[in-house]
Amino acid sequence: MKNEIPKIKFINDDHIDENSFLWRYIDISKLLSFVLDKSFFCTRLDKFEDRKEGITLNHLILKKIKNETDKFLYNNNIGNSISVEVAGGKMNRIDDEINQIQKSNFANCWFIAEEYSESVAMWNLYSSPNSVAIKIKYSDFKRNLLQNGFIGYGNSLEIVCASIKYVNFFNPNYEGIDLVDSVFLKDLSFQHENEFRIIIKKEFEKTPVEYHPQIHRKKSEKYHQIIEPFGINLKINQFEDYNFEIVFHPKSQDWIKKDIKKIIELSKVDLKFNDSLLELK
């Protein structure tokens, strides 16, 4: 039976040069997963470092108004006389909405750059001297993804691909970005990542934590986290058509490069290897 292609769409990518490349800076364990499983792993948004993942412009503007109100009350010595927090219920609702967005969106993240444009910042942030970067031409990536899709999901997943729009979270406004899906919004402080994302939109049935009087609550909560999916693995269809390339870390030693090449050869995956063009101490 032929694999059905999930609902994959690319949005807001008119500004991306078709000759640009997508880069993914990863450690050895993620490289092994990528090569052996031939897959993209999409992590649930609440597992990322940024607590504001998925926050909407409405949320940001309401939080700004709340902060300005609190500041005004404090500066005018009014705050101490108010027993009920201003807009506390509204802030709770916003927190719940952000939590729901984060729990139902899963991301696989890439860095947009030119073919030979490596990022020292990205090497330092997401890898070590025994790590690599995967790169692929954007036009090849888009064509293959739309044409071949993923294995085993049929039409059960909605997948959206787009670059990140960076805005000032501390001074938000609607101009030009009011229609951008919030999972593709990040604060300007992350602008150095020049990020492109594959997003899976998938809601899972919520199950309450089951506590037992004779079982430590922390153990029950830990087991509950295992039930909730940390991420979703997208198995790539026609992996060999993508022309992925491997770039070794600029500080990678020859024996590490040799071992990585052996692993790739044993997995029977045809990948091109390149040394880094950077010269770092």
Side-chain angles (χ1 to χ4, degrees), residues 2 109 148 158 257 269 271:
K2 187 177 178 180
C109 309
N148 299 316
E158 180 186 357
K257 298 177 186 178
V269 173
L271 294 175

Side-chain angles (χ1 to χ4, degrees), residues 5-6 8 144-151 235-237 242:
I5 298 177
I8 303 173
N144 277 288
L145 204 55
L146 291 174
Q147 183 174 306
N148 299 316
F150 298 101
I151 299 173
K235 195 166 181 64
I236 303 167
N237 194 23
Y242 275 75

Side-chain angles (χ1 to χ4, degrees), residues 22 61 75 87 140 200 239 256:
L22 296 180
I61 289 171
N75 290 337
D140 290 344
I200 301 174
F239 181 89
I256 294 175

Side-chain angles (χ1 to χ4, degrees), residues 111-172:
F111 176 78
I112 306 173
E114 295 179 6
E115 181 176 6
Y116 300 108
S117 181
E118 297 175 50
S119 169
V120 174
M122 299 301 285
W123 279 124
N124 290 335
L125 281 171
Y126 297 105
S127 66
S128 61
N130 63 345
S131 301
V132 302
I134 304 167
K135 74 173 186 176
I136 181 171
K137 192 175 182 180
Y138 181 75
S139 57
D140 290 344
F141 176 87
K142 182 175 181 178
R143 183 187 68 255
N144 277 288
L145 204 55
L146 291 174
Q147 183 174 306
N148 299 316
F150 298 101
I151 299 173
Y153 292 98
N155 291 316
S156 64
L157 294 178
E158 180 186 357
I159 301 171
V160 184
C161 304
S163 58
I164 293 294
K165 178 76 173 180
Y166 296 96
V167 299
N168 187 345
F169 275 16
F170 298 98
N171 188 29

Side-chain angles (χ1 to χ4, degrees), residues 192-245:
H192 62 281
E193 296 183 346
N194 203 21
E195 187 179 343
F196 181 92
R197 283 182 170 180
I198 304 171
I199 288 284
I200 301 174
K201 294 183 171 296
K202 177 73 173 177
E203 290 191 27
F204 290 88
E205 184 178 349
K206 295 180 181 179
T207 56
V209 181
E210 294 185 6
Y211 294 108
H212 190 279
Q214 303 303 319
I215 298 177
H216 191 190
R217 290 174 63 88
K218 287 185 177 180
K219 182 168 287 188
S220 296
E221 291 167 357
K222 184 177 181 180
Y223 177 72
H224 185 262
Q225 290 177 356
I226 294 174
I227 296 176
E228 289 188 326
F230 180 90
I232 298 175
N233 218 26
L234 290 175
K235 195 166 181 64
I236 303 167
N237 194 23
Q238 300 296 115
F239 181 89
E240 62 278 2
D241 291 346
Y242 275 75
N243 298 319
F244 290 111
E245 297 181 30

